[in-house]
Amino acid sequence: MKVLSIQSAVAHGHVGNSAAVFPLQRIGVDVVPVYTVNFSNHTGYGAWRGPLIPPADVAEILLGVQERGVFPQIDAVLSGYQGGVGIGDVIIDAVRRVKEANPAALYACDPVMGNAKSGCFVAPEIPELLRDRVVPVADIITPNQFELGFLTGTEPASIESTLASVDLARAMGPSVVLVTSVERPDRDAGVIEMLAVDDAGAWLVSTPHLPFKANGSGDVTAALFTAHYVETRDAAVALERTASSVFDLIEMTYRSGERELRLVAAQEFYAAPRMQFSAERVR
């Protein structure tokens, strides 16, 4: 499997491609990483150094990759945080050209906007860009519950209302939706959930909720789910593998006391997921 991953990069820590590439490689995926920024660290520190890569330069890199004859080999395009409208246009164009070269390729978009606690933390034009132009060309999207609500103009809470919101999102274009950070009011105490939906049905998985915010964990989640889905075309299996790996990664990080993901130390959890969580069919 070969994945074209168009995302940010940081020297210290693990977000964007600096979070997604190694776990993908560890499960045997050949990754073609294209960077949209090259920062010293993620912006959660409040200060960072390094450049935003101009969209025209990102487009040039993608053109060079295409000229090497790589696009027909791409099984999936993966994108995450989008810093501006310009880079969105570049990603949309790259997806179009990859699919022209390989019609079986899938596009997985993590529509990063914000979360329920912090609200939106992207530029004001990004949510509309994602909703109106990017999501409609995606095959897989991986929003959290807050982002799903913005995309669909709803307020998902219960399983029923979240499923209804997913149906609206799927009507926009994507056939596969992974909803992360599902926090329904009637869930068991001390757990957090993920919901995966495709044409075959809907599945929910619950994991213990750790009192810890790990920057980059969403990027790992989107990457692993995409790869497992492309391999198996089974949303339940992809969900179980992803939940297993990501929980163990976050738990290892939490127990270490470190701020940054223990991405390398946790590598066996990607290569051989413990499959300690079972997905429950909810539709």
Side-chain angles (χ1 to χ4, degrees), residues 15-276:
V15 299
N17 267 336
S18 300
V21 171
F22 178 68
L24 288 174
Q25 291 173 329
R26 193 62 183 82
I27 63 172
V29 176
D30 187 5
V31 186
V32 181
V34 174
Y35 303 136
T36 56
V37 309
N38 190 8
F39 287 168
S40 56
N41 51 271
H42 66 70
T43 59
Y45 284 94
W48 63 93
R49 296 182 183 273
L52 288 164
I53 300 175
D57 290 347
V58 178
E60 278 291 294
I61 294 166
L62 287 162
L63 179 59
V65 172
Q66 181 179 18
E67 290 171 342
R68 301 289 76 77
V70 177
F71 280 11
Q73 306 168 23
I74 299 296
D75 297 294
V77 179
L78 175 65
S79 72
Y81 170 81
Q82 298 187 19
V85 173
I87 196 64
D89 291 335
V90 170
I91 292 170
I92 291 169
D93 182 63
V95 169
R96 177 186 60 79
R97 289 185 283 135
V98 165
K99 290 195 169 194
E100 286 177 352
N102 177 15
L106 301 180
Y107 170 39
C109 169
D110 185 7
V112 178
M113 296 180 230
N115 56 63
K117 293 180 180 178
S118 305
C120 277
F121 50 65
V122 297
E125 65 272 17
I126 296 304
E128 287 78 12
L129 167 74
L130 290 167
R131 181 190 63 202
D132 299 338
R133 298 183 53 207
V134 180
V135 167
V137 302
D139 301 289
I140 301 169
I141 59 171
T142 59
N144 60 37
Q145 200 170 24
F146 170 83
E147 292 159 344
L148 175 67
F150 178 86
L151 290 173
T152 58
T154 60
E155 295 185 6
S158 66
I159 288 298
E160 292 75 16
S161 62
T162 302
L163 284 169
S165 297
V166 168
D167 289 341
L168 292 173
R170 295 181 73 227
M172 296 166 66
S175 59
V176 183
V177 178
L178 172 70
V179 187
T180 64
S181 301
V182 174
E183 299 185 59
R184 58 188 170 105
D186 58 342
R187 71 189 186 280
D188 292 339
V191 304
I192 194 164
E193 298 169 321
M194 289 196 291
L195 174 72
V197 183
D198 68 358
D199 290 341
W203 291 267
L204 187 74
V205 69
S206 299
T207 66
H209 189 193
L210 298 172
F212 177 70
K213 167 63 173 144
N215 292 93
S217 57
D219 301 317
V220 177
T221 300
L224 289 176
F225 181 83
T226 296
H228 290 313
Y229 188 83
V230 170
E231 178 191 1
T232 66
R233 305 296 167 130
D234 187 320
V237 171
L239 178 62
E240 290 174 341
R241 290 181 182 177
T242 301
S244 174
S245 297
V246 173
F247 175 79
D248 281 337
L249 165 64
I250 295 175
E251 184 180 46
M252 176 179 281
T253 304
Y254 175 65
R255 294 186 183 282
S256 76
E258 298 288 334
R259 174 172 182 170
E260 297 293 342
L261 288 173
R262 304 288 289 165
L263 195 78
V264 176
Q267 61 182 288
E268 290 305 317
F269 295 132
Y270 325 135
R274 292 193 296 137
M275 305 301 285
Q276 69 271 43

